Amino acid sequence: MRSFVSIFLCFLFLTLNSFALEKKQEKDSIQYYTKQVESWLKKTNRVHRKEIEGKNDSLKLYIAQTIKYLGKIPSNDSLALIVYDDLAWLHKHDDSKLSRSYSDSLEQIAKRTNDDYYLIGAYLYKAQFNSRKGNYNASIKYYKKVLELAKPRKGEMASLNLAGYYYNISGLYKKIEKDSMSKRMAEIAFKTFDTTTAVSYTHLRAHETRHD
């Protein structure tokens, strides 16, 4: 009987030890992959900023590596939000399907995690994309989604961005010849600016934000 108990305890010890080792290896792997994602994302941003020769090829490689290692992490929504937000921002002037996939992924994760900050970003990218494609009604729709999320945000910078969104909507209404709506949105934009700080017409025209 003692022999059986000893064997059983030995087996239990080895099983638990093996399980603990597997968990440690898994944790170490996640930490490794996380560091790889962060490293490749930094390289991606650095190459984009420097405008070096061969920029496009380098960007494709760095982005591929970033996505590759992100896919090896079981679940890390906070890191995924950062990655897809950065990639969507880097490709905000790119009209490819790949560019749209970044903002789609950002929107899905932001909705799942109830993260309004990144959801604003996803809607902004989509509004800008549709505006460039001439889909002005769709662009207005996304800007209105941005407004819904942005209105409760406090602070001077938030108000500044809010005014910019209204002004962008004003310009879109102008393009589809809805002059009364365009004028109304422009009035709201300038009124919002007046409540925070004195900003010139030139500043309004130049307004472009990532998200507050």
Side-chain angles (χ1 to χ4, degrees), residues 127-169:
Q128 292 162 1
F129 171 82
N130 280 286
S131 178
R132 289 194 305 274
K133 299 290 284 186
N135 303 326
Y136 301 126
N137 284 311
S139 183
I140 290 170
K141 181 188 77 172
Y142 282 113
Y143 269 119
K144 286 184 175 180
K145 287 177 179 286
V146 170
L147 287 177
E148 289 177 14
L149 296 171
K151 282 179 181 178
R153 301 175 79 85
K154 304 298 181 183
E156 186 173 325
M157 183 57 68
S159 297
L160 206 62
N161 285 332
L162 193 64
Y165 305 147
Y166 277 116
Y167 192 80
N168 289 340
I169 294 172

Side-chain angles (χ1 to χ4, degrees), residues 91-95 99 125 127-134:
H91 289 78
K92 62 182 178 179
H93 299 303
D94 180 2
D95 295 337
S99 172
Y125 300 134
Q128 292 162 1
F129 171 82
N130 280 286
S131 178
R132 289 194 305 274
K133 299 290 284 186

